[in-house]
Amino acid sequence: MIGYTLTEKNCNGILTVLYKERDKISEKISQYEWKGLDTTILEKQYNDICDQIEEACEFRRHHDCLLEGDPGFSFC
């Protein structure tokens, strides 16, 4: 589902990017709701991002993923 191949080098970097994207979408949903606008598409995007986060977390549970600052760490 994620647009990148998950590796030990990029898993935590991809999670960082996904968390930021999820937070942006969440804020947008709140703004749309406040304005009385339809949030259906945004909610779908939010759920898709959450699915991708779960996929990356599952990968991380079974691999020794690098942390930011480790040699070879990558965001993608």
Side-chain angles (χ1 to χ4, degrees):
M1 186 174 222
I2 294 174
Y4 299 94
T5 300
L6 285 171
T7 68
E8 288 83 0
K9 291 181 179 183
N10 70 9
C11 181
N12 283 313
I14 287 173
L15 277 167
T16 298
V17 171
L18 290 171
Y19 290 141
K20 288 178 182 179
E21 186 63 25
R22 180 199 58 194
D23 293 347
K24 281 193 257 180
I25 293 170
S26 178
E27 187 169 321
K28 206 171 196 179
I29 289 171
S30 294
Q31 291 171 356
Y32 273 47
E33 286 178 340
W34 182 78
K35 294 176 182 179
L37 301 173
D38 183 20
T39 60
T40 304
I41 292 172
L42 291 171
E43 290 171 11
K44 169 83 170 91
Q45 291 173 347
Y46 183 88
N47 289 333
D48 290 345
I49 292 286
C50 288
D51 290 345
Q52 292 176 38
I53 289 170
E54 181 55 36
E55 181 181 336
C57 286
E58 182 64 25
F59 178 89
R60 185 173 63 182
R61 287 193 236 347
H62 301 287
H63 295 85
D64 188 20
C65 296
L66 298 179
L67 300 173
E68 189 171 354
D70 289 344
F73 175 85
S74 172
F75 277 103
C76 296

